[in-house]
Amino acid sequence: MTTTQPLPNAGLMRRLGALFYDALIILALEMMAAGLIIALLQAFEAMSILNVAPYIDISDMLSKHPVWSPLFTLYLAVVWIYFFVFFWTRAGQTLGMRAWKLQVRNQEGGRITATQALIRIATSAFGLGNLIVLFDPKNRSFQDIWAKTDVVVLPKAN
């Protein structure tokens, strides 16, 4: 979106609102992703391809097994990270950001790269990096500063 005036950077409350919306969406995605793996492993157990002994069941194995547990955790982390990278690099907005009329952009006003998205995730401290907005004169978060991005408030559609 090209405008004659620069768009204002988002304040803390808008960012937290969008983060809350996205947290609900990610929670649902994580439950579906975990359910898919549990259903797949349950099918393998039913076909005698997988034996969960000495664990009580599939979920016990996924939470305690020395190999399966870290792999399952990594899988869930990849789902979570991919959510943000996918939306930020395609449209500059997650679903929560769309609801709050926010968009993440590079400093030239264009789409961010996958590298910038990963830097934003790595430096966000699970959303706590947004608290820096209160102290930054340009309303930038910690992750914006490191990734060289801006989260702007989009104008209302006419």
Side-chain angles (χ1 to χ4, degrees):
M1 171 182 284
T2 305
T3 59
T4 55
Q5 293 182 346
L7 297 172
N9 282 350
L12 180 63
M13 294 313 290
R14 273 188 186 261
R15 289 171 185 258
L16 293 179
L19 182 62
F20 178 72
Y21 279 35
D22 286 334
L24 295 175
I25 294 166
I26 290 170
L27 183 62
L29 279 174
E30 293 287 338
M31 285 191 289
M32 289 187 329
L36 177 69
I37 294 300
I38 290 169
L40 184 65
L41 292 177
Q42 191 70 40
F44 287 162
E45 184 182 27
M47 292 186 291
S48 298
I49 297 173
L50 176 68
N51 183 4
V52 296
Y55 302 99
I56 298 168
D57 57 16
I58 299 292
S59 63
D60 188 44
M61 182 185 77
L62 288 175
S63 63
K64 296 177 182 170
H65 192 275
V67 175
W68 284 101
S69 182
L71 286 176
F72 185 62
T73 302
L74 178 64
Y75 163 72
L76 293 177
V78 167
V79 168
W80 172 70
I81 292 166
Y82 185 74
F83 171 84
F84 285 107
V85 173
F86 178 82
F87 282 104
W88 285 343
T89 58
R90 301 284 183 303
Q93 295 176 297
T94 60
L95 299 173
M97 292 173 78
R98 184 172 294 209
W100 284 85
K101 306 250 185 279
L102 300 178
Q103 188 177 48
V104 63
R105 298 176 170 186
N106 64 27
Q107 291 179 334
E108 290 79 37
R111 290 184 187 165
I112 70 170
T113 64
T115 301
Q116 285 176 303
L118 291 170
I119 291 170
R120 282 182 58 81
I121 292 166
T123 58
S124 71
F126 298 102
L128 293 176
N130 287 310
L131 295 175
I132 301 299
V133 169
L134 295 172
F135 306 104
D136 187 78
K138 295 180 183 176
N139 274 358
R140 295 174 303 168
S141 65
F142 189 73
Q143 57 268 28
D144 289 330
I145 294 166
W146 277 91
K148 296 180 176 58
T149 60
D150 292 307
V151 175
V152 297
V153 179
L154 298 174
K156 293 180 181 176
N158 294 331

